[in-house]
Amino acid sequence: MIESSHLAERLAQCQPIIKPFSQAVAGRLIRVVGLTLEAVGVKAHVGSQCLVETAHGDLIAEVVGFAEDKTYLMPEQSLTGVLPGARVLPLSAKVRLPMSMDLLGRVIDGVGNPLDGKGPIEADEQYRHDNTPLNPLARRAISEPLDVGVRSINGFITVGQGQRMGLFAGSGVGKSVLLGMMTRGTSADVIVVGLVGERGREVKEFIEEILGEEGRRRSVVVAAPADCSPLMRLKGCETAVQISEYFRDQGLNVLLLLDSLTRYAQAQREIALAVGEPPATKGYPPSVFSKLPQLVERAGNGGEGQGSVTAFYTVLTEGDDLQDPIADAARAILDGHIVLSRSLADSGHYPAIDVEASISRVMPMVTSPEHQQLARSLKQTYSLYQQNKDLIAIGAYTKGSDPRIDQAINLLPVIEFYLQQQMKEVIPYDQSLTQLNEIVAAAQAQQGQPAQQNMAVAR
């Protein structure tokens, strides 16, 4: 039989889920506008969570702002059943994500609830996540290339472990397919996929058809489709990044695929405008442009004993406008960008990567000078053809007028073959470089130069 003193001691150590209800800490709803709840009498800080009583049970909402005695909350689910004057009770502690290796192979929503019907996820009691940003000087430098299994990226836009890349494209040009190709071909230990703000049917298609059974075993999928509340979409991106940080802290190399950064910005815009923040550039309030770098900077290499988070963020360029405010802001804080061209996609060129408009800022740090020379030489040849394409098409160019253009015409089919790849085809990094070397050797042979002249790519 347990002694009363011992029982009282154990009860005293327990943390209550809800603070005791009183007018000092709890409040009531006075207004609902769109997806924003207004309450009075609530004593809760910004970012904390509250329970809102509804006709269908309790609803979790987060404090997103306040004005004088009014507190603004944003719900995680729909507002069905909300009543005027409903009680709002602050939670004493924020709900923590269940972080553990059991996340592998699972599909969860923006707050960590399982969506795959495989039961709850066990949390690692030893892990305590620290939201404090890493000291920039404590990060390891990017020095190793990351194999993504896509030949055109491996050869022309080489990605380094710990790099943050943007994937810029309009709608319907193959962003999701390219992400799926990278999940199958990457050499990373763990893949974290964030499908945020996109069509709901894409979630199942991505998991079953693009990711596949083999890719799913080493992946975690965070899904917050377009019909979710702005808060859930915002949290979906942050949850994907936090899971990546967990695996990085375990010493693993992580590939983070976040689709999309634009939906994250739009979710923050909806929340900010709802609480009265004034719009700035094209309706985006200033807080959007401060939250983007806070999210992006969490990826990258860790310190000593930690792994890395190599991140690809898709950016939806509305109307194929690369000067869109979000695209422009993202390009400034990322370590490079890959541009998908609609004209290439319309012509059946997949993946529709525009190598002329794409760049990897860390490629010189993770590749040899020979590799850089190979890529630069072919890029110049391909660009030369594109500049004279119209003249060639109408027959205004006479063969023999410029030997460089003649060479570009001859090499174009080979270069285009190199830049294209089947959806389920995986081409390793070494093979990509070998084929790149063969194309340059063929070009030199056409010019009458030695085919092998210090062109071996150093690994």
Side-chain angles (χ1 to χ4, degrees):
M1 189 172 180
I2 304 176
E3 296 182 2
S4 59
S5 59
H6 180 63
L7 183 59
E9 182 181 347
R10 293 188 61 182
L11 287 173
Q13 294 174 352
C14 294
Q15 294 294 328
I17 298 177
I18 308 293
K19 290 181 179 179
F21 175 68
S22 69
Q23 292 298 323
V25 295
R28 59 185 177 85
L29 284 182
I30 60 170
R31 191 179 184 210
V32 176
V33 181
L35 293 177
T36 308
L37 306 175
E38 293 185 15
V40 293
V42 179
K43 300 297 182 182
H45 59 81
V46 173
S48 63
Q49 294 178 318
C50 297
L51 283 186
V52 180
E53 294 182 343
T54 73
H56 305 306
D58 293 333
L59 174 72
I60 296 180
E62 184 172 306
V63 179
V64 294
F66 59 86
E68 296 181 351
D69 61 336
K70 294 180 182 178
T71 302
Y72 300 111
L73 302 102
M74 189 69 64
E76 291 183 357
Q77 297 89 21
S78 65
L79 292 175
T80 306
V82 175
L83 301 170
R87 292 199 307 171
V88 180
L89 297 91
L91 293 172
S92 63
K94 203 168 184 179
V95 178
R96 297 175 61 91
L97 288 169
M99 294 293 187
S100 72
M101 298 301 289
D102 290 342
L103 281 167
L104 292 175
R106 302 301 300 271
V107 182
I108 61 176
D109 65 8
V111 292
N113 298 318
L115 296 176
D116 50 13
K118 294 183 178 180
I121 300 170
E122 295 294 330
D124 184 358
E125 296 297 335
Q126 304 299 319
Y127 183 75
R128 293 291 181 269
H129 182 70
D130 186 5
N131 288 319
T132 305
L134 280 174
N135 186 332
L137 299 181
R139 291 181 182 269
R140 301 191 317 278
I142 300 174
S143 58
E144 295 292 330
L146 179 73
D147 185 5
V148 295
V150 180
R151 180 167 51 196
S152 53
I153 297 178
N154 285 339
F156 283 93
I157 323 161
T158 309
V159 177
Q161 284 186 8
Q163 186 175 358
R164 288 83 54 92
M165 289 286 285
L167 191 59
F168 293 73
S171 56
V173 295
K175 297 190 302 296
S176 298
V177 174
L178 181 56
L179 293 180
M181 292 171 68
M182 287 191 280
T183 60
R184 280 190 297 269
T186 183
S187 58
D189 302 316
V190 175
I191 304 161
V192 179
V193 183
L195 301 176
V196 178
E198 301 297 333
R199 294 180 293 275
R201 68 168 181 81
E202 284 188 336
V203 177
K204 190 171 184 179
E205 288 180 1
F206 188 91
I207 294 169
E208 294 183 354
E209 298 180 14
I210 297 179
L211 197 58
E213 188 63 31
E214 183 178 350
R216 186 174 176 179
R217 282 197 292 268
R218 57 170 176 156
S219 304
V220 184
V221 178
V222 181
D227 59 346
C228 292
S229 68
L231 184 64
M232 283 292 281
R233 281 179 269 141
L234 198 72
K235 285 182 172 296
C237 293
E238 295 171 353
T239 294
V241 174
Q242 190 171 342
I243 291 172
S244 301
E245 291 175 323
Y246 167 76
F247 287 110
R248 180 201 65 193
D249 293 345
Q250 309 307 309
L252 301 173
N253 293 321
V254 183
L255 177 64
L256 170 63
L257 306 174
L258 194 55
D259 185 14
S260 71
L261 198 64
T262 305
R263 304 304 185 198
Y264 177 80
Q266 290 174 348
Q268 174 60 22
R269 176 175 65 180
E270 291 180 46
I271 294 173
L273 293 179
V275 298
E277 187 177 353
T281 310
K282 285 194 177 181
Y284 288 101
S287 63
V288 171
F289 301 100
S290 66
K291 287 187 77 69
L292 283 177
Q294 291 174 12
L295 184 77
V296 170
E297 282 296 321
R298 292 170 64 180
N301 283 335
E304 292 300 324
Q306 294 181 323
S308 65
V309 178
T310 307
F312 282 83
Y313 304 93
T314 67
V315 180
L316 182 63
T317 53
E318 299 179 2
D320 296 330
D321 180 16
L322 291 176
Q323 306 309 316
D324 177 84
I326 300 304
D328 193 51
R331 196 163 47 239
I333 57 178
L334 293 170
D335 301 323
H337 53 271
I338 297 173
V339 178
L340 299 187
S341 167
R342 187 173 299 278
S343 61
L344 288 175
D346 291 342
S347 64
H349 184 291
Y350 290 103
I353 297 175
D354 185 349
V355 293
E356 293 181 279
S358 305
I359 190 172
S360 171
R361 294 178 182 172
V362 305
M363 185 175 176
M365 294 183 281
V366 299
T367 58
S368 65
E370 293 81 7
H371 179 186
Q372 297 166 38
Q373 179 59 36
L374 290 174
R376 190 181 306 115
S377 175
L378 283 188
K379 214 170 183 180
Q380 291 171 349
T381 301
Y382 181 75
S383 180
L384 183 64
Y385 178 86
Q386 297 301 323
Q387 294 168 11
N388 296 274
K389 180 173 62 175
D390 293 338
L391 291 175
I392 297 169
I394 64 175
Y397 173 75
T398 304
K399 186 176 181 180
S401 302
D402 189 333
R404 296 181 306 152
I405 298 179
D406 292 340
Q407 183 189 49
I409 295 172
N410 293 332
L411 286 179
L412 180 67
V414 183
I415 296 175
E416 286 189 333
F417 174 81
Y418 184 89
L419 295 177
Q420 297 181 61
Q421 189 172 330
Q422 296 296 323
M423 185 180 73
K424 295 186 177 180
E425 185 181 9
V426 176
I427 301 177
Y429 182 78
D430 291 340
Q431 184 179 344
S432 302
L433 297 193
T434 300
Q435 294 177 353
L436 195 69
N437 189 32
E438 290 172 353
I439 297 175
V440 174
Q444 290 179 334
Q446 284 186 0
Q447 293 178 333
Q449 299 178 1
Q452 302 292 332
Q453 185 178 4
N454 298 324
M455 300 305 289
V457 180
R459 293 185 59 184

